Amino acid sequence: MKINSEIKLTLVSKSDAQFLYGLLKERESNVNISHKKMPTYTQHIKFIESKPYSKWYIIRLGNQKIGSAYLSKQNEIGIFITKNIHIKKLGTTALNILIKKNRRKRYLANINPKNKKSISFFKKNGFELIQHTFELELS
Ligand SMILES: CC(C)(COP(=O)(O)OP(=O)(O)OC[C@H]1O[C@@H](n2cnc3c(N)ncnc32)[C@H](O)[C@@H]1OP(=O)(O)O)[C@@H](O)C(=O)NCCC(=O)NCCS
């Protein structure tokens, strides 16, 4: 599809902070597995500056920022597309570009079991379920 050939991944820079914060706000609670509450903008800036991932990209359609994709230091993949964008196979295109740019033997994706859309997305792209992890948190 022509439009998908115009999808690009560019590395995150400080100037993307606002866009990424907006994207974070959009996430429904069922998507969110690791951040239970929204960070403040200052915390968010610090997070970006801490270089938390092996690679962190903005997904672009031409000049328009339409999502974000990362590969963690443990080869975990995350893909987030902004809600107002509906392009068929966009997630798959972004995933394929990320993998092409970063060849690894094995990739992981931590998905909230309630996030049915994401589960079928990763399954469709060849991922297999290997574990459900339980957590006990004491304060
Ligand atoms: C998950 C996400 C990246 C998928 O992107 P996408 O562009 O919708 O995915 P694709 O169009 O490439 O779809 C590929 C497959 O995913 C599944 N899928 C996509 N949207 C779906 C939906 N609404 N319901 C059920 N399955 C869906 C289908 O199996 C689909 O294959 P098909 O088109 O042959 O039916 C995107 O929906 C997103 O950003 N979600 C919010 C963030 C998130 O949950 N990220 C995952 C955590 S890492």
Side-chain angles (χ1 to χ4, degrees), residues 31-65:
V31 169
N32 216 323
I33 199 163
S34 50
H35 303 91
K36 278 167 193 140
K37 54 177 191 271
M38 191 65 198
T40 64
Y41 193 65
T42 310
Q43 287 167 333
H44 170 68
I45 298 283
K46 277 195 186 144
F47 182 71
I48 294 175
E49 285 174 349
S50 74
K51 300 230 177 293
Y53 303 121
S54 168
K55 293 286 179 62
W56 195 0
Y57 300 99
I58 298 294
I59 304 169
R60 288 173 192 266
L61 175 63
N63 270 338
Q64 198 190 353
K65 298 175 189 182

Side-chain angles (χ1 to χ4, degrees), residues 31 78-81 88-89 91-92 115 117-118 120-121 124:
V31 169
I79 300 183
F80 302 91
I81 293 162
K88 198 132 178 61
K89 300 289 172 203
T92 300
N115 189 351
K117 184 174 170 180
S118 227
S120 55
F121 169 78
K124 194 79 179 230

